[in-house]
């Protein structure tokens, strides 16, 4: 049992607790040394707990003078190291503590040591701690196991995190949030929605979504384009008194924007009592990706009038808006203002990338290439890929080959780069080059990323790949797609065979190969499952091809549907046979 402290000890402890500055704490240290109260374990613990987060170097010196530190003293230092620039020292202290003490260090020691391993990236150390948790009999400590889940989450080991989660005897909202964060980090976004839904249905009152849960769920909805589920999360936020949280409102604006629902994004933005630069940036970026360039510029000018200064991301969103809407004059004007120092920052690689994209879309390829060569910083792979995409659109084989050589020089070439070059060759009918490039890709073992399209219906996300036969309603989907193709052909739709990268013998064969692309299957499923007039929303992980783009335009006209497709870089809003991208993406 702890001994009761004397009045002098009480007085000093109250001084320690109320002190905040380093100099004041060092003065208290001098008093402790002079009065020998430093020998009191309780006083020393209070002093070290106050000092360690504020002056780690001095704490290290004070701790080293303690001849026989207790477990709580060691825990204080391990905890301080876990949030410092030298977390490895915390893990070493933990190991030293385990060698000295019996019974072993308590669960807090293991928890702080795990945080040290997370900060330092020490996978082996974390695995060793997991072993000690088992051997020390701490498997019933829910807080410790939650930290262990966080450790596995950091290393993208969602399977191990799930296993630890299942072992937690009493799960709370924090443990659920850690697992949800793990799923989100590992791109298991559908599992995020499943867990959120499970928390909503939990009878136990201690497991309910909080602000963090909602934030993570909204990010998953944005990634999937799951508008219906995102709306449910929004309703939960408003219904549980969380609607005033600035970070949640900012994330709602971003989620609705990334689901292609700018009306809803505007609604949230306009009702916000408080807006910061993140709020404005989310709105500007959302308008940009949805093709509302002029509105994005208006929002930016209004932000400046409100006295809010832009950040780098704000300018990226603004320049992207100009690029996606073909506003060359406006984009170059803002870029010149940025270079002049008006916004108190220098253009970064993202800003240059937007301007290269802007010039490429405007068919000013030579000017775009000159800009890349004149950059003050070394262009990265993203800049060159942006230029390569413009070469693909314009069929500029010569410049495309030069751009690929720059990517090879950077050792940054990816499968997508070769696909863009393949597209460029096939668009001009150079099948010999297509064959050569395919052989090179096979030789270098470059594998293309499989494309998929996702669509949400009644809160459930359905995914499709090319020629997909895994869906339980596949027969109905293929029958509907055949019917759609028949209707579109009557309306004048002809397959864009240049989108097919294989040198097939006939136009009919190429057209057939294009028929079952993943976004076509998703659109057919949408028409099958939703009432007439319902907006169809599709999310695709890759850039949509020219033929699927034409297909969606015809669907929007023939079936009188708004079709919204979000591909890798932007939204395509199809309505009445036209697309918001003006056929340049």
């Amino acid at each position: 049992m702890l001994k009761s402290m004397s009045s002098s000890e009480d007085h000093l402890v109250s001084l320690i607790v109320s002190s905040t500055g380093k100099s004041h704490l060092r003065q208290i240290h001098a008093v402790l040394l002079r009065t020998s109260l430093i020998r009191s374990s309780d006083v020393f613990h209070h002093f070290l707990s106050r000092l360690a987060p504020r002056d780690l170097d001095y704490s290290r010196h004070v701790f080293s003078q303690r001849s026989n530190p207790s477990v709580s003293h060691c825990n204080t230092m391990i905890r301080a190291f876990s949030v410092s620039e030298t977390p490895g020292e915390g893990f070493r202290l933990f190991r030293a503590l385990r060698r000295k003490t019996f019974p072993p260090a308590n669960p807090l020691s293991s928890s702080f040591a795990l945080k040290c391993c997370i900060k330092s990236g020490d996978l082996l150390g974390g695995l060793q701690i997991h072993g000690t948790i088992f051997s020390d009999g701490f498997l019933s400590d829910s807080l410790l196991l939650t930290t262990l889940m966080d450790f596995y989450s950091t290393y993208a080991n969602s399977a191990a995190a799930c296993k630890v989660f299942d072992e937690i005897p009493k799960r709370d909202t924090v443990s659920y949030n850690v697992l949800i964060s793990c799923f989100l980090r590992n791109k298991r976004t559908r599992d995020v929605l499943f867990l959120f839904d499970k928390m909503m249905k939990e009878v136990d009152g201690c497991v309910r979504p909080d602000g963090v849960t909602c934030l993570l769920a909204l990010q998953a909805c944005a990634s999937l384009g799951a508008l219906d589920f995102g709306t449910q999360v929004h309703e939960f936020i408003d219904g549980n008194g969380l609607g005033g949280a600035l970070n949640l409102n900012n994330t709602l604006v971003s989620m609705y924007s990334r689901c292609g629902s700018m009306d809803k994004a505007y609604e949230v933005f306009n009702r916000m009592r408080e807006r910061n630069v993140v709020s404005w940036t989310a709105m500007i970026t959302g308008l940009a990706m949805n093709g509302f360039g002029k509105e994005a510029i208006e929002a930016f000018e209004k932000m400046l009038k409100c006295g809010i200064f832009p950040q780098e991301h704000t300018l990226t969103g603004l320049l992207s808006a100009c690029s996606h809407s073909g506003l060359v004059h406006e984009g170059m004007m803002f870029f010149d203002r940025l270079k002049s120092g008006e916004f108190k920052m220098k253009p970064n690689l993202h800003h240059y990338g937007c301007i290269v994209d802007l010039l490429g879309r405007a068919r000013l390829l030579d000017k775009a290439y000159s800009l890349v060569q004149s950059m003050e910083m070394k262009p990265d792979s993203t800049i060159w890929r942006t230029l390569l995409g413009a070469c693909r659109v314009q069929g500029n084989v010569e410049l495309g080959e030069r751009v690929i050589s720059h990517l090879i020089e950077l050792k940054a070439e990816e499968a997508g780069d070769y696909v863009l070059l393949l597209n460029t060759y096939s668009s001009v009918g150079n099948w010999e080059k297509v064959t050569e490039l395919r052989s090179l890709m096979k030789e270098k073992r470059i594998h293309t990323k499989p494309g998929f399209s996702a669509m949400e219906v009644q809160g459930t996300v359905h995914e499709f790949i090319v020629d997909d036969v895994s869906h339980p309603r596949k027969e109905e989907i293929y029958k509907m797609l055949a019917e759609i193709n028949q209707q579109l052909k009557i309306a004048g739709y002809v397959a864009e065979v240049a989108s097919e990268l294989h040198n097939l013998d006939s136009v009919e064969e190429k057209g057939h190969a294009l028929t079952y692309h993943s976004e076509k299957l998703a659109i057919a499923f949408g028409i099958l499952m939703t009432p007439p007039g319902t907006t169809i929303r599709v999310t695709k992980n890759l850039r949509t091809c020219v033929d699927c783009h034409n297909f969606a335009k015809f669907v929007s006209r023939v079936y009188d549907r708004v079709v919204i497709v979000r591909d890798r870089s932007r939204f395509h809003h199809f309505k009445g046979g036209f697309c918001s991208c003006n056929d340049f993406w």
Side-chain angles (χ1 to χ4, degrees):
M1 290 180 64
L2 294 174
K3 295 179 181 178
S4 59
M5 291 189 287
S6 65
S7 59
S8 59
E9 287 177 338
D10 281 337
H11 177 66
L12 267 173
V13 167
S14 65
L15 278 176
I16 291 167
V17 171
S18 63
S19 62
T20 54
K22 292 181 184 180
S23 59
H24 192 200
L25 284 166
R26 292 193 181 197
Q27 288 171 16
I28 292 173
H29 186 213
V31 173
L32 291 174
L33 290 171
R34 191 168 62 250
T35 60
S36 297
L37 285 172
I38 195 78
R39 296 175 186 172
S40 166
S41 181
D42 290 336
V43 173
F44 184 76
H45 174 69
H46 279 96
F47 176 67
L48 193 63
S49 297
R50 201 70 179 164
L51 180 68
R54 292 163 179 79
D55 194 344
L56 187 57
D57 288 337
Y58 194 69
S59 299
R60 192 188 285 110
H61 168 71
V62 171
F63 181 77
S64 68
Q65 301 301 308
R66 189 82 182 180
S67 58
N68 191 24
S70 68
V71 171
S72 63
H73 300 155
C74 292
N75 285 351
T76 299
M77 289 303 296
I78 296 169
R79 182 180 190 177
F81 283 126
S82 74
V83 293
S84 73
E85 297 303 315
T86 55
E89 287 190 60
F91 179 64
R92 288 193 289 274
L93 178 57
F94 171 76
R95 289 200 299 183
L97 175 64
R98 285 189 56 78
R99 285 195 296 268
K100 286 183 180 179
T101 59
F102 189 85
N106 61 30
L108 276 178
S109 314
S110 300
S111 182
F112 295 145
L114 273 172
K115 290 177 180 177
C116 288
C117 293
I118 292 170
K119 182 81 185 285
S120 64
D122 186 356
L123 174 60
L124 182 59
L127 293 173
Q128 289 173 359
I129 295 170
H130 189 174
T132 65
I133 291 170
F134 183 81
S135 61
D136 293 345
F138 294 153
L139 289 174
S140 61
D141 192 293
S142 298
L143 184 63
L144 176 55
L145 292 185
T146 299
T147 307
L148 184 60
M149 276 172 53
D150 193 27
F151 164 74
Y152 282 118
S153 166
T154 305
Y155 290 95
N157 192 339
S158 56
C162 284
K163 189 175 180 183
V164 174
F165 180 79
D166 290 337
E167 292 171 356
I168 296 176
K170 190 174 182 182
R171 301 175 197 125
D172 58 9
T173 300
V174 175
S175 55
Y176 269 90
N177 285 348
V178 171
L179 185 59
I180 288 171
S181 177
C182 175
F183 284 153
L184 195 61
R185 195 177 292 167
N186 288 276
K187 295 182 173 56
R188 290 177 58 176
T189 42
R190 294 173 74 174
D191 291 323
V192 172
L193 305 192
F194 171 78
L195 270 183
F196 185 89
D197 196 48
K198 185 179 179 183
M199 290 178 76
M200 293 274 286
K201 294 171 182 174
E202 281 281 350
V203 179
D204 190 348
C206 70
V207 182
R208 289 286 286 169
D210 62 6
V212 174
T213 325
C214 294
L215 197 71
L216 296 170
L218 288 173
Q219 291 173 9
C221 292
S223 178
L224 281 170
L227 178 62
D228 291 346
F229 201 101
T231 303
Q232 291 176 37
V233 178
H234 188 181
E235 289 170 357
F236 177 87
I237 289 169
D238 286 345
N240 287 271
L242 300 171
L246 181 60
N247 63 340
L248 283 176
N249 281 317
N250 290 341
T251 309
L252 278 168
V253 171
S254 180
M255 183 275 292
Y256 280 125
S257 299
R258 291 186 64 191
C259 290
S261 181
M262 287 311 299
D263 289 343
K264 285 279 191 180
Y266 260 124
E267 190 180 306
V268 174
F269 185 78
N270 288 332
R271 79 171 191 186
M272 290 170 68
R273 298 191 203 98
E274 177 192 358
R275 299 185 192 116
N276 60 10
V277 67
V278 178
S279 318
W280 287 97
T281 300
M283 196 69 225
I284 291 165
T285 303
L287 289 166
M289 71 172 67
N290 282 278
F292 300 105
K294 290 181 179 177
E295 291 84 350
I297 292 173
E298 288 172 11
F300 180 77
E301 297 292 2
K302 190 174 179 181
M303 181 192 76
L304 295 180
K305 286 178 183 176
C306 291
I308 296 177
F309 215 71
Q311 293 179 337
E312 288 187 340
H313 290 305
T314 320
L315 269 299
T316 301
L318 178 68
L319 295 174
S320 174
C322 295
S323 170
H324 285 161
S325 299
L327 304 173
V328 179
H329 172 74
E330 293 85 345
M332 295 307 297
M333 180 266 290
F334 282 117
F335 189 61
D336 289 339
R337 287 171 66 181
L338 175 60
K339 287 195 295 182
S340 72
E342 180 182 339
F343 303 121
K344 297 180 182 177
M345 67 182 86
K346 289 185 177 180
N348 63 25
L349 284 168
H350 296 294
H351 301 147
Y352 274 104
C354 290
I355 298 301
V356 170
D357 190 42
L358 173 71
L359 295 171
R361 289 173 188 273
R363 302 188 178 275
L364 300 171
L365 272 182
D366 291 337
K367 194 171 180 180
Y369 188 54
S370 297
L371 177 66
V372 174
Q373 290 183 308
S374 66
M375 284 172 57
E376 294 179 8
M377 62 204 79
K378 188 175 181 180
D380 67 352
S381 56
T382 304
I383 297 278
W384 290 117
R385 286 188 185 110
T386 301
L387 190 56
L388 184 59
C391 293
R392 194 269 323 160
V393 172
Q394 296 175 43
N396 193 323
V397 172
E398 183 185 346
L399 184 55
E401 289 174 334
R402 266 189 284 168
V403 171
I404 280 286
S405 69
H406 285 291
L407 285 165
I408 292 170
E409 192 179 309
L410 286 171
K411 296 182 179 178
E413 73 269 28
E414 295 178 355
D417 304 328
Y418 289 97
V419 171
L420 281 172
L421 193 56
L422 278 172
N423 272 304
T424 308
Y425 287 139
S426 65
S427 66
V428 296
N430 194 336
W431 297 109
E432 187 179 337
K433 283 286 187 180
V434 168
T435 304
E436 286 179 19
L437 193 54
R438 282 193 180 281
S439 299
L440 178 64
M441 289 172 69
K442 190 174 181 181
E443 184 184 315
K444 292 177 115 179
R445 295 183 179 177
I446 295 170
H447 301 288
T448 56
K449 186 178 181 180
F452 71 85
S453 295
M455 184 186 178
E456 182 192 30
V457 175
Q458 297 176 348
T460 302
V461 178
H462 301 260
E463 290 185 355
F464 301 89
I465 60 172
V466 64
D467 298 326
D468 202 334
V469 292
S470 63
H471 198 278
R473 303 188 67 168
K474 59 181 180 292
E475 291 180 7
E476 295 171 85
I477 293 169
Y478 276 91
K479 185 178 178 182
M480 174 57 72
L481 184 55
E483 181 185 316
I484 292 169
N485 275 314
Q486 189 175 2
Q487 294 296 324
L488 298 194
K489 284 176 184 175
I490 294 170
Y493 164 71
V494 178
E496 178 59 61
V497 293
S499 297
E500 173 52 45
L501 300 182
H502 296 86
N503 187 18
L504 301 176
D505 292 333
S506 68
V507 172
E508 287 76 13
E509 282 183 294
K510 290 186 176 185
H512 181 76
L514 293 165
T515 300
Y516 306 116
H517 279 192
S518 63
E519 49 264 69
K520 291 183 179 180
L521 292 171
I523 290 171
F525 180 67
I527 292 175
L528 175 69
M529 295 297 295
T530 60
T534 306
T535 298
I536 296 173
R537 301 173 189 274
V538 176
T539 302
K540 185 172 173 64
N541 66 327
L542 303 177
R543 177 190 174 279
T544 191
C545 74
V546 175
D547 179 61
C548 288
H549 190 268
N550 290 343
F551 178 87
K553 284 200 295 185
F554 272 90
V555 166
S556 72
R557 177 160 62 87
V558 172
Y559 284 83
D560 194 22
R561 297 272 197 133
V562 174
V563 179
I564 300 176
V565 177
R566 188 185 86 191
D567 69 8
R568 184 176 58 186
S569 60
R570 64 164 298 150
F571 276 91
H572 301 267
H573 292 253
F574 300 96
K575 186 176 181 181
F578 297 94
C579 180
S580 59
C581 75
N582 294 318
D583 297 339
F584 198 102
W585 71 101

